């Protein structure tokens, strides 16, 4: 960690994030107000009005929480079904110059569920599975709609907190249209052009086949006359044969347009399997910096939006401060672990003493890999520029625990704020119990119904992650997908379900949901986990928004717990860590924690 350049980059990142938080937060206030005016009105307003007219939307009509929730669920269901059928039958659709076949049912289900929920878990290799039409229509459009839906839910919850004695929390259709037209699309147009300027591709050309400088040999499964793998005597292991390779296929396609919303919308689904480690998806150090800045941009700005809406800017900054403190600690712990390297390798002298470079791009190095991994799992983005499976046990623990906090350390667009506000309500409730007063949050009494909704959200997160992981760990299909044994293999399982329930989408990388044709269990369970983690948490959150909106404001008194300042920040962080630690510590103890101690004792997995 004795790297002045890395410290400078971290300071530059924090400074840039602070610099954009207030201006973007002020812009969000205008976007999320159905009557708000922006500097884009002259260009965008006609499209907005035309959309309302075509879809039969009355922008002046607001919805209660039930109608808002139903609209979101119907919108998501229609999008998911459309995506499923596009993926299943992409071989019959245009823009498929590689002639790629349609996806098998369980993989199409997994992908449709994943992209609908802003998870973007990928059980496929993008460049060899998806046609240009599927990438652009089925997947990239979901990157916009799922991000817009997340921001809309956050706005609805903030309105519920800010309003009093009303039955409405906004209009889902208006929120989604305005977020897409005034926020996501304009920024992504500029962002995509910037990425093209850095060397990212954006075309419809067929893949380029190039002759390699020297031929090389790889091992591939031996196939029988029917094209199926020939199995060894154990009936489980495919027989391997040598194959000479003298060509390389170079991916082409509309990449920049998808990567822009992939990062800004905290989606994370890569155009290629290597994601942001691929030189096309992340060509330069500048593109790497701007991409990770874009991940936190909207989640950070939403905290400023919160402060303005509730007329307490100090509270918005307090929430930002809690998120930032946990982010910095995560970066430093991950960076320290990766910089220290593997003690076994260091004793053997087989790696340099500057840390663990396994699974990392040389052009990014250890610090930028640790920073990227921390940011992407703080923000439920799921993009990667290094292989998390190759991190040291403690280095890998950081992104895993980030997800298990509920993705509230800035978090996904919208999801981070509404997730953190769940912990805010819980923290206020705990503080009220400690001082013997009825808990209050910004002038609203927190009652039994509110706390039940909060606990339902937290129970969905923990029960789904641990339940699916336990099932997989004792099932043949679960063990069959592991690439590593012992505690590291368990960490792969735990990470996979944490990632999908937390709507992150990143993976350790060692887990395989393959072979795709005869092990559909991983695809199915991970898809269900993503749906549960998204919608069974959003429903009680919107119910909480509706209940808070109906309450009257109570004037502050001498006994009112202040929701700004250091005391509140410490309480909020403690609540997040306490809930996460008590819930997931036993699972983490038999995964990355025990692996860390075994590594120190000379055992690797």
């Amino acid at each position: 960690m004795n790297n002045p350049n890395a410290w400078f980059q971290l300071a530059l990142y924090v400074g840039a994030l602070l610099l954009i938080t207030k201006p973007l937060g002020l812009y969000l206030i205008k976007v999320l107000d159905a009557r708000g005016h922006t500097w884009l009105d002259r260009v965008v307003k006609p499209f907005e009005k035309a959309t309302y007219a075509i879809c039969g939307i009355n922008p002046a009509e607001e919805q209660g929480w039930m109608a808002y929730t139903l609209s979101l669920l119907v919108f998501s269901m229609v999008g998911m079904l459309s995506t499923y059928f596009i993926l299943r039958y992409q071989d019959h659709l245009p823009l498929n110059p590689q002639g790629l076949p349609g996806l098998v049912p369980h993989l199409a289900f997994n992908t449709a569920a994943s992209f609908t929920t802003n998870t973007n878990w990928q059980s496929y290799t993008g460049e060899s599975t998806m046609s240009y039409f599927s990438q652009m229509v089925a997947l990239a459009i979901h990157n916009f709609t799922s991000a817009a839906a997340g921001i809309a839910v956050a706005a609805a919850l903030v309105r519920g907190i800010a309003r009093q004695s009303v039955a409405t929390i906004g209009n889902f259709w208006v929120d989604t249209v305005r977020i897409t037209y005034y926020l996501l699309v304009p920024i992504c147009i500029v962002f995509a052009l910037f990425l093209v300027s850095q060397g990212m591709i954006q075309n419809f050309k067929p893949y380029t086949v190039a002759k390699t400088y020297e031929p090389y040999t790889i091992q591939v499964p031996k196939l029988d006359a029917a094209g199926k793998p020939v199995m060894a005597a154990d009936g489980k292991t495919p027989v391997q044969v040598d194959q000479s390779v003298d060509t390389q296929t170079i991916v082409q396609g509309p990449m920049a347009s998808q990567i822009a919303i992939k990062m800004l919308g905290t989606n994370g689904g890569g155009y290629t399997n290597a994601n942001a480690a691929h030189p096309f998806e992340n060509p330069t150090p500048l593109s790497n910096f701007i991409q990770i800045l874009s991940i936190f941009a909207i989640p950070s700005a939403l905290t400023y939006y919160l402060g303005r809406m509730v007329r307490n800017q100090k509270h918005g900054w307090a929430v930002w401060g809690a998120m930032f403190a946990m982010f910095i600690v995560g970066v430093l712990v991950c960076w320290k672990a990766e910089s220290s390297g593997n003690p076994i390798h260091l004793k053997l002298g087989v790696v340099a003493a500057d840390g663990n470079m396994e699974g990392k791009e040389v052009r990014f190095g250890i610090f930028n890999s640790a920073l990227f991994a921390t940011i992407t799992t703080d923000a439920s983005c799921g993009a990667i520029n290094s292989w998390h499976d190759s991190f040291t046990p403690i280095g890998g623990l950081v992104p895993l625990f980030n997800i298990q906090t509920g993705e509230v350390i800035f978090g996904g667009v919208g999801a981070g704020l509404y997730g953190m506000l769940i912990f805010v309500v819980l923290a206020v409730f705990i503080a009220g119990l400690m001082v013997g007063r009825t808990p209050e949050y910004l002038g609203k009494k927190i009652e039994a119904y509110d706390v039940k909704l909060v606990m339902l959200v937290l129970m969905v997160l923990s029960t789904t992650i641990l339940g699916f992981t336990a099932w997989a760990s004792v099932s043949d299909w679960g063990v069959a997908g592991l690439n590593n044994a012992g505690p590291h293999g368990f960490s792969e399982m735990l990470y996979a379900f944490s990632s999908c329930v937390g709507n992150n989408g990143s993976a350790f990388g060692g887990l395989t949901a393959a072979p795709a044709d005869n092990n559909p269990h991983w695809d199915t369970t991970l898809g269900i986990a993503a749906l549960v983690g998204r919608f069974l948490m959003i429903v009680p959150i919107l119910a909480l928004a509706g209940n808070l909106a109906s309450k009257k404001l109570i004037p502050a008194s001498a006994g009112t717990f202040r929701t700004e300042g250091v005391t509140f920040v410490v309480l909020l962080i403690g609540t997040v860590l306490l809930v996460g630690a008590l819930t997931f510590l036993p699972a983490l103890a038999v995964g990355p924690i025990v692996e860390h101690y075994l590594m120190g004792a000379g055992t690797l997995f």
Side-chain angles (χ1 to χ4, degrees), residues 114-164:
S114 176
F115 278 77
T116 299
T117 57
N118 200 244
T119 305
N120 297 49
W121 172 275
Q122 293 176 281
S123 288
Y124 61 87
T125 302
E127 60 266 47
S128 61
T129 307
M130 297 294 173
S131 68
Y132 296 165
F133 189 87
S134 294
Q135 293 275 24
M136 289 178 8
V137 178
L139 306 185
I141 287 179
H142 265 308
N143 288 351
F144 283 95
T145 57
S146 64
I151 299 172
V153 173
L157 180 55
V158 171
R159 292 188 194 112
I161 297 168
R163 295 177 176 182
Q164 61 171 324

Side-chain angles (χ1 to χ4, degrees), residues 207-220:
Y207 290 1
T208 301
V209 178
K211 200 79 171 177
T212 58
Y213 193 72
E214 289 182 350
Y216 59 95
T217 301
I218 61 172
Q219 284 201 321
V220 297

Side-chain angles (χ1 to χ4, degrees), residues 4-250:
N5 180 266
W7 285 106
F8 172 76
Q9 290 182 63
L10 181 59
L12 183 64
Y13 181 81
V14 172
L17 183 64
L18 276 169
L19 191 64
I20 65 175
T21 295
K22 181 178 178 179
L24 188 53
L26 291 171
Y27 184 67
L28 279 168
I29 294 170
K30 297 178 180 179
V31 171
L32 294 170
D33 181 355
R35 296 165 297 179
H37 296 285
T38 76
W39 59 276
L40 289 172
D41 279 10
R42 181 173 296 180
V43 176
V44 179
K45 201 68 174 178
F47 294 99
E48 181 188 3
K49 290 181 177 179
T51 302
Y52 295 153
I54 293 170
C55 299
I57 299 169
N58 180 1
E61 181 181 344
E62 290 205 344
Q63 299 172 305
W65 79 266
M66 287 188 179
Y68 200 100
T69 304
L70 182 61
S71 298
L72 183 147
L73 294 177
V74 170
F75 178 69
S76 300
M77 181 185 69
V78 171
M80 179 176 168
L81 291 174
S82 300
T83 299
Y84 176 84
F85 284 106
I86 289 173
L87 298 179
R88 288 281 288 121
Y89 302 106
Q90 70 173 5
D91 51 329
H92 299 290
L93 297 171
L95 295 176
N96 187 7
Q98 303 305 119
L100 298 172
L103 276 60
V104 295
H106 54 84
L107 182 55
F109 164 75
N110 176 280
T111 306
S114 176
F115 278 77
T116 299
T117 57
N118 200 244
T119 305
N120 297 49
W121 172 275
Q122 293 176 281
S123 288
Y124 61 87
T125 302
E127 60 266 47
S128 61
T129 307
M130 297 294 173
S131 68
Y132 296 165
F133 189 87
S134 294
Q135 293 275 24
M136 289 178 8
V137 178
L139 306 185
I141 287 179
H142 265 308
N143 288 351
F144 283 95
T145 57
S146 64
I151 299 172
V153 173
L157 180 55
V158 171
R159 292 188 194 112
I161 297 168
R163 295 177 176 182
Q164 61 171 324
S165 304
V166 299
T168 60
I169 56 173
N171 185 311
F172 171 77
W173 306 108
V174 174
D175 287 341
T176 304
V177 169
R178 288 185 62 83
I179 291 165
T180 303
Y181 286 7
Y182 288 94
L183 180 69
L184 299 178
V185 170
I187 295 177
C188 284
I189 290 173
V190 177
F191 193 6
L193 291 173
F194 162 77
L195 293 173
V196 170
S197 76
Q198 296 298 294
M200 190 174 296
I201 60 172
Q202 180 73 16
N203 58 54
F204 292 105
K205 292 165 39 177
Y207 290 1
T208 301
V209 178
K211 200 79 171 177
T212 58
Y213 193 72
E214 289 182 350
Y216 59 95
T217 301
I218 61 172
Q219 284 201 321
V220 297
K222 183 179 181 180
L223 303 179
D224 60 19
K228 295 183 177 181
V230 176
M231 308 306 288
D234 61 5
K236 299 179 180 179
T237 308
V239 175
Q240 300 290 318
V241 295
D242 290 341
Q243 178 177 305
S244 179
V245 178
D246 60 0
T247 60
Q248 177 184 3
T249 301
I250 301 173

